[in-house]
Amino acid sequence: MAPSVRSPPIRLLYTLSSALKTTSSPLLTGHRRTFSAGNPARVEATWWKEPMERLRNIGISAHIDSGKTTLTERILYYTGRIHEIHEVRGRDGVGAKMDSMDLEREKGITIQSAATYCTWKDYQVNIIDTPGHVDFTIEVERALRVLDGAILVLCSVGGVQSQSITVDRQMRRYDVPRVAFINKLDRMGADPWKVLSQARSKLRHHSAAVQVPIGLEDDFQGLVDLVQLKAYYFHGSNGEKVVAEEIPANMEALVAEKRRELIEMVSEVDDKLAEAFLSDEPISSASLEEAIRRATVAQKFIPVFMGSAFKNKGVQPLLDGVLSYLPCPTEVSNHALDQNKNEEKVTLSGTPVGPLVALAFKLEEGRFGQLTYLRIYEGVIRKGDFIINVNTGKKIKVPRLVRMHSNEMEDIQEAHAGQIVAVFGVDCASGDTFTDGSVRYTMTSMNVPEPVMSLAISPVSKDSGGQFSKALNRFQREDPTFRVGLDAESGQTIISGMGELHLDIYVERIRREYKVDATVGRPRVNFRETVTKRAEFDYLHKKQTGGQGQYGRVCGYVEPLPEGSTTKFEFENMIVGQAIPSNFIPAIEKGFKEAANS
C-alpha cells in the first residue's frame, strides 16, 4: 500500500510556532488558510490567542496639568519610540511628541487626543493621550469609549481635583478598568497618602498602593514594590537604567504595614486571596499579582502606582503594571446591537476570527482628506477590502490603512480585532459602525454633553465667506460638542461649545488654518414688542432720485388679534376696484409680514 501523501501533523504544529516567533505582524492570515485542510482543530482555535493576549489599549486621563503628556513622552522614550525627551513647555521650543498642533505647543496644553503605539517587553501597547480641560471633554469621552483600560493620573500636591472626578465618572460610564498613578512626587508638599485617601473618599475608589516612595520632594530617590518586595532606583541621565536592590532597613516596618493593607484591600474583593489571607498562609508575589489582576479587570479594585514623570522616576514599573493588571482586548466584554433583530444586544467575541465590526470614533481633516480613527472590535480589516457603513448602508473600499504615531502615519496592510487604526478617504460621521456586510451590527454611541456657552461670529471680510463656512463645517464634523447655528431673527452665525477656551481655540484655528479673520461678540438678543390697541396709519412716501423718483401712499389700520388666536398675522385687503393694480398686493403683504416679524 502506497504511503499517504499528507504531511505529519507534528511538522504543521512546528511551522506555526516558528511562524509565531518569526513574524512581525500580530496576524497570521496566511497560516490560518493553510490549517483549514484537515488540521487539528485545537491549533485552528488558538492561532490568534498569543498576539491578542500581548496587546493593551490604554488611555491616559487626568485633571489639567497633572502630567499626562509628560508621562506619555517618557513612555515613548523608554519603549524606544522616540530617541530624545522634549518637555511640554521646554526651552528648546520643540514640545512634546503627542502635542503636534502649533497651538498646543504654544499654550502648553493638549487640545486633541493623540494616538500612538509602542512595544514594552514583547507586548504591544496602544496609547491615547487625552486633554485635561473640561472644554475638550468629548476627546476624553470618545477615547474611553474605545479603550480597554486607563491610567488615571493624580497630582501628589493637587490631589483629586474637579476634572479628576469628571474623568473618573467617564471611566465608570464605559466600564473601563484602571490603574492610578500619583505623579509629581518631587514637588514641594507632595503627599501621596493624602491623595490616596482623597481617591477613596471623593472618587469612592476601592484602592491601595502597590508601591511606597523612598523619600519625597527633593530627596525622592526611588520606589519599593510591595508585590515583589524590591526597591527600585532609576539611574542614567534620563532614568533609563532601573536598578533593583534590597529594601532599605529603615523602611521595612512601613513596607510590611502597607503590604498588609494592600493584601487586606484585595482580599475583600477576591475570594481566592481571602482564603489564603484568613488561613494565615504566607502570600507569594505571584498569587498577589494574580489576585490584583483579577480584581482590577473585574473593576473591583484600583492599584495605585507612584512616581515623577518629569524627574524620570517610576515610569517603567507603571508600564509593567499596565501589562500585569490591565486587560487585553479579549478579557473585556463589548456589546453590539443587531439591526436585523430589533436592536437585540449581541456580545462580541473580540477575536480576529468573527465578522468585521469596527467603530469610527474620531474624525480629522488631514492633508490627504478625511482621516477616520477606527477601533476594531472583531474580525480583520485589510487594505483594498470593501466595508459597509451600517448607519448609511454605503459600501466603501479601504484605500489606505495606517497606524498613528501622534501626527505621523505608518502604512499597514491589515489590522485585526483589538487594534486602533486609521483609514483615509472614507466618508462617514463620528460614531458610525463598519462591518464586512455579513452582519448588521451597530455599536452603542458615546455620550455627547450639551454645549454650555455661545458666541456670535462673523468673518471680517465678505470675500472669505467660503473658507469661513468650510472651516465651521469641518470643525462641526470633527467635534460633536461644537455646534453652529443661524439665529433667524438677528441673522447672526452662533457658535456653541463647552466653554470659553473651547471656542477661543476654534476661532484661532480658523485664523491660522484657513487664513480667515473673524470677529467674535455676544449674541444679540431681540427686544420684542407688540401692538396693544387699534391704530390708524396714513403715510406718504416721496423720494426724488435721478429719473422718475418714488411715490407711494399707504393707509389702513393695525390692531391686535383676539387672545388665543391660532394665526400670528392676518392681512386684509379692503381696496375696492382697481385703485391699486392687483399685482402689487402680494408685495405689500410681504412687506407687512417682514415688519410684523421684527
Side-chain angles (χ1 to χ4, degrees):
M1 188 179 162
S4 166
V5 226
R6 229 167 81 188
S7 54
I10 298 154
R11 196 161 79 224
L12 276 171
L13 277 160
Y14 167 69
T15 52
L16 176 69
S17 66
S18 61
L20 266 165
K21 284 191 187 91
T22 53
T23 181
S24 59
S25 162
L27 235 207
L28 310 167
T29 331
H31 296 278
R32 186 169 150 218
R33 291 196 191 104
T34 53
F35 281 111
S36 48
N39 296 312
R42 194 165 50 83
V43 182
E44 169 70 26
T46 57
W47 63 269
W48 44 264
K49 205 165 168 152
E50 195 183 2
M52 288 295 280
E53 280 173 0
R54 293 187 166 272
L55 182 62
R56 297 284 181 276
N57 292 318
I58 60 162
I60 298 180
S61 304
H63 187 79
I64 308 152
D65 281 351
S66 293
K68 298 173 291 296
T69 306
T70 306
L71 177 62
T72 315
E73 186 83 358
R74 298 309 187 268
I75 290 174
L76 293 178
Y77 178 75
Y78 296 134
T79 54
R81 285 293 295 155
I82 57 176
H83 303 297
E84 50 184 20
I85 292 173
H86 294 290
E87 299 308 338
V88 173
R89 292 191 183 90
R91 293 203 183 119
D92 55 5
V94 178
K97 176 75 199 168
M98 301 305 276
D99 288 348
S100 55
M101 246 161 75
D102 292 342
L103 261 174
E104 293 182 314
R105 295 187 169 181
E106 278 171 34
K107 290 181 180 286
I109 60 170
T110 305
I111 293 168
Q112 286 184 336
S113 54
T116 184
Y117 61 94
C118 55
T119 311
W120 180 252
K121 298 189 176 173
D122 295 337
Y123 281 74
Q124 192 194 329
V125 185
N126 291 319
I127 303 171
I128 297 185
D129 174 35
T130 62
H133 293 75
V134 71
D135 301 63
F136 312 114
T137 191
I138 189 69
E139 293 286 336
V140 186
E141 195 82 37
R142 54 182 163 203
L144 292 174
R145 167 70 186 82
V146 297
L147 292 169
D148 306 322
I151 301 174
L152 174 65
V153 184
L154 299 167
C155 171
S156 67
V157 182
V160 174
Q161 291 155 285
S162 56
Q163 198 57 16
S164 319
I165 298 170
T166 310
V167 167
D168 188 69
R169 193 186 308 129
Q170 288 169 319
M171 289 177 185
R172 278 174 209 252
R173 185 180 295 137
Y174 298 114
D175 296 329
V176 179
R178 51 206 179 276
V179 300
F181 179 66
I182 299 179
N183 193 14
K184 304 192 178 185
L185 290 184
D186 58 305
R187 274 184 61 187
M188 284 288 291
D191 185 353
W193 308 113
K194 178 195 79 180
V195 179
L196 182 57
S197 71
Q198 279 184 359
R200 287 173 183 165
S201 60
K202 287 187 181 176
L203 303 175
R204 300 195 300 284
H205 278 183
H206 188 82
S207 59
V210 290
Q211 293 172 336
V212 173
I214 303 170
L216 282 174
E217 300 179 4
D218 288 344
D219 44 323
F220 173 50
Q221 293 156 7
L223 297 159
V224 175
D225 187 329
L226 297 177
V227 180
Q228 307 297 341
L229 288 175
K230 283 260 187 303
Y232 292 110
Y233 297 93
F234 305 91
H235 298 307
S237 56
N238 288 321
E240 62 278 359
K241 295 189 189 77
V242 184
V243 181
E245 291 180 15
E246 290 305 308
I247 298 169
N250 62 343
M251 288 187 68
E252 279 175 358
L254 175 70
V255 168
E257 179 203 329
K258 293 293 177 190
R259 188 171 200 258
R260 187 176 171 81
E261 187 186 313
L262 170 68
I263 293 169
E264 273 178 26
M265 293 298 267
V266 179
S267 55
E268 279 178 32
V269 289
D270 186 79
D271 299 341
K272 205 169 164 186
L273 189 74
E275 271 177 41
F277 176 62
L278 291 170
S279 55
D280 276 346
E281 291 170 24
I283 287 164
S284 69
S285 299
S287 58
L288 178 56
E289 192 172 307
E290 281 165 22
I292 295 174
R293 180 177 178 82
R294 285 192 299 270
T296 308
V297 172
Q299 297 164 57
K300 292 175 179 170
F301 178 74
I302 297 169
V304 178
F305 291 81
M306 300 183 186
S308 165
F310 183 64
K311 289 284 195 277
N312 311 313
K313 289 182 171 71
V315 178
Q316 297 96 322
L318 174 67
L319 272 170
D320 294 339
V322 165
L323 308 187
S324 305
Y325 306 134
L326 289 181
C328 69
T330 48
E331 289 176 297
V332 179
S333 65
N334 287 301
H335 302 284
L337 306 173
D338 192 342
Q339 296 301 317
N340 292 338
K341 293 185 182 167
N342 198 8
E343 298 210 343
E344 188 185 303
K345 245 190 180 183
V346 187
T347 304
L348 298 175
S349 68
T351 63
V353 188
L356 172 72
V357 179
L359 174 73
F361 67 94
K362 179 175 155 83
L363 312 177
E364 242 176 55
E365 283 290 328
R367 295 189 297 276
F368 314 107
Q370 182 176 301
L371 179 70
T372 308
Y373 285 78
L374 291 179
R375 159 73 203 256
I376 306 162
Y377 284 101
E378 198 170 85
V380 182
I381 187 169
R382 293 182 188 85
K383 184 180 170 180
D385 271 3
F386 282 98
I387 55 174
I388 285 171
N389 183 339
V390 182
N391 299 55
T392 61
K394 280 185 189 166
K395 192 175 184 180
I396 305 161
K397 189 176 181 180
V398 180
R400 189 177 169 199
L401 194 62
V402 295
R403 272 161 78 185
M404 300 303 292
H405 175 45
S406 185
N407 58 341
E408 296 166 17
M409 296 155 208
E410 180 195 328
D411 278 282
I412 51 173
Q413 293 306 309
E414 60 177 29
H416 63 83
Q419 289 192 320
I420 292 170
V421 292
V423 290
F424 264 111
V426 170
D427 190 38
C428 68
S430 184
D432 283 2
T433 308
F434 292 97
T435 65
D436 53 10
S438 59
V439 288
R440 282 195 67 218
Y441 291 169
T442 57
M443 301 300 292
T444 51
S445 60
M446 57 211 143
N447 175 57
V448 178
E450 284 301 308
V452 295
M453 178 177 173
S454 300
L455 287 176
I457 186 170
S458 58
V460 172
S461 71
K462 289 279 180 277
D463 311 336
S464 49
Q467 284 290 82
F468 179 69
S469 56
K470 195 172 157 188
L472 291 181
N473 286 340
R474 172 197 154 183
F475 294 143
Q476 224 179 330
R477 282 182 68 149
E478 286 182 10
D479 183 350
T481 57
F482 178 71
R483 313 267 173 91
V484 180
L486 189 73
D487 187 336
E489 291 181 348
S490 63
Q492 290 180 311
T493 303
I494 306 290
I495 54 172
S496 308
M498 298 306 297
E500 206 169 338
L501 179 68
H502 189 204
L503 298 177
D504 283 353
I505 294 285
Y506 277 125
V507 172
E508 184 63 21
R509 283 182 69 188
I510 291 171
R511 194 172 67 77
R512 291 186 183 206
E513 294 170 31
Y514 290 89
K515 309 282 183 281
V516 176
D517 277 318
T519 48
V520 180
R522 290 180 182 165
R524 277 210 303 270
V525 178
N526 281 345
F527 171 65
R528 294 175 181 277
E529 52 187 2
T530 186
V531 180
T532 52
K533 60 180 188 192
R534 176 172 165 150
E536 306 276 344
F537 57 83
D538 184 345
Y539 179 72
L540 181 67
H541 170 75
K542 264 197 288 197
K543 192 174 183 186
Q544 189 58 48
T545 56
Q548 284 188 329
Q550 296 171 348
Y551 176 88
R553 185 177 172 198
V554 54
C555 323
Y557 65 87
V558 57
E559 65 178 351
L561 286 167
E563 265 195 27
S565 72
T566 49
T567 53
K568 278 177 79 176
F569 174 88
E570 274 178 25
F571 175 80
E572 212 172 318
N573 177 13
M574 290 174 150
I575 291 170
V576 186
Q578 289 289 321
I580 294 176
S582 56
N583 55 344
F584 281 114
I585 302 295
I588 295 170
E589 182 173 355
K590 198 178 169 196
F592 262 108
K593 260 204 173 115
E594 277 176 15
N597 266 339
S598 58

